[in-house]
Amino acid sequence: MTHPTPTSRLSGLHKNSIAERLARVVDFAGLDEDTAQHLADMGNLDPHLADHLIENVIATMNVPVGVATNMKVDGRDVLIPMATEESSVVAAVCNAARQCYGSGGFVTSTSGSLMIAQVQLVDTPDPAHARIRILERKAEIQALCDACDPLLVELGGGFRDLEVRIVDTAGGPMVITHLIVDTRDAMGANAVNTMAETIAPHLEGWTGGRVYLRILSNLADRRLARARATWTCEAIGGADVRDGIVSAYRFAAADPYRAATHNKGIMNGVSAVVLATGNDTRAVEAGAHAYAARQGWYSSLTTWEVTADGDLAGSIELPLAVGLIGGATRLHPTARACLKILGVDSAEALARVIAAVGLAQNFSALKALATTGIQKGHMSLHAQNIAMMAGAQGNEIAQVAAALVAQGTVRVDIAKQELARLRG
Ligand code: MEV
């Protein structure tokens, strides 16, 4: 008997309860009872909340939250909650921070909390003239924007500046208006998108052009976070290690193939804190990578140099559009708890800590790569994952992992053999 191909056109799925939706998906995918029960366990996220955060909810995806120790940021000791599925990421921050704790830890700063919203005008008959006409309306634009969000203005934020650019495109010149808005403790997407949509018909009226897009830019280069730290030569194991790290940085600065991996390592730390605090990982990642290419080629987000005293000086600068209010940050109880652990009282303070974590992450990656290589450190954690994949449970996990590391072969088939041997 042939079974009909299941259809993905699950009409009315959005109107179903979570349990009803799950039942339909179980049916569609032919999931077994154990898998269905696993998905039905929503862990510590209230199903009603989950159901309101996104559409067509059937389950939650738990990611471990680890806490990085040894961090001192601007003179304050801070524990860093990090949500990540990747082994070694939390340990890397602990190690990097331990090695610069004695020399003062991390010093951080920001350029402010300004977001940019873009409005795209096409078919403007006289783009250069239109640009000037828009700039003349700055006071009017400010009043329109600020009226969109009186609470933001009350909190000290709101419209700050206006920029109008003419961008040459395959479809001719476009007049691109930038609204520059201080969004304070909000990530700010909603605030600036509303302003862009409000201003759009006015821009059409003033210029005779036609508006298409009205949306924030994730290249938040008016919302930069910076961190720096010094590692003494002694603390990191000598001049060879120091020079290896500097050389690794120079490689990344000169070669986009290496820079992509170098920056990926930085984002291992950055995104883990962004996720733990309920912020938008994709927005931060888009901003970081676009910023890394701002010179016209893709390069390193960090810089590594040797100080006059022969120590290692690291610094980082990247856009960090994160908030303490709005979206999942306020709603998700784990995000709220992580913010409490961090003890930050403003979006800028959060961004500064995240920049420090990015620098710490990069230090550890470059140190490992320039010395023993990363596999040695990764191996024992990786071996534990492989042991679990082979079916090891409880104490068996550490025992099978140790056997794999001792043999120098971390493979599931070997883990299964070890497990069988262990169980007699
Ligand atoms: C792995 O997730 C991150 C690294 O590849 C970063 C780097 O190469 O700098 C180790």
Side-chain angles (χ1 to χ4, degrees), residues 86 89 258 261-266 268 362 365-366 369 374 378:
E86 184 170 337
V89 164
R258 173 57 206 153
T261 322
H262 176 100
N263 290 342
K264 187 273 183 185
I266 293 168
N268 277 345
N362 190 223
L366 298 191
L369 288 166
I374 56 158
H378 268 214

Side-chain angles (χ1 to χ4, degrees), residues 237-275:
D240 266 2
V241 177
R242 177 199 67 196
D243 294 345
I245 292 174
V246 171
S247 176
Y249 152 66
R250 289 180 180 153
F251 178 14
D255 177 18
Y257 285 93
R258 173 57 206 153
T261 322
H262 176 100
N263 290 342
K264 187 273 183 185
I266 293 168
M267 301 313 286
N268 277 345
V270 168
S271 295
V273 188
V274 172
L275 183 60

Side-chain angles (χ1 to χ4, degrees), residues 81-138:
M82 302 177 72
T84 179
E85 86 303 339
E86 184 170 337
S87 56
S88 304
V89 164
V90 178
V93 174
C94 300
N95 287 334
R98 180 175 43 75
Q99 291 169 64
C100 70
Y101 190 90
S103 46
F106 298 83
V107 178
T108 68
S109 58
T110 69
S111 66
S113 44
L114 300 180
M115 291 297 283
I116 299 168
Q118 298 190 293
V119 184
Q120 175 201 23
L121 270 170
V122 301
D123 300 338
T124 312
D126 47 1
H129 206 261
R131 175 178 169 272
I132 302 294
R133 295 204 300 278
I134 297 170
L135 287 169
E136 284 165 6
R137 303 277 183 159
K138 184 172 168 182

Side-chain angles (χ1 to χ4, degrees), residues 44 64-71 73 76-83 90 272-273 276-277 324 329 332-345 349-350 353 357:
N44 61 3
V65 175
V67 78
T69 55
N70 306 325
M71 287 287 288
V73 181
R76 184 173 76 92
D77 278 36
V78 49
L79 290 178
I80 315 283
M82 302 177 72
V90 178
V273 188
T277 56
L324 298 187
T329 310
H332 199 299
T334 311
R336 281 205 309 272
C338 288
L339 282 169
K340 278 196 187 131
I341 296 171
L342 278 165
V344 287
D345 57 3
L350 174 60
V353 169
V357 171

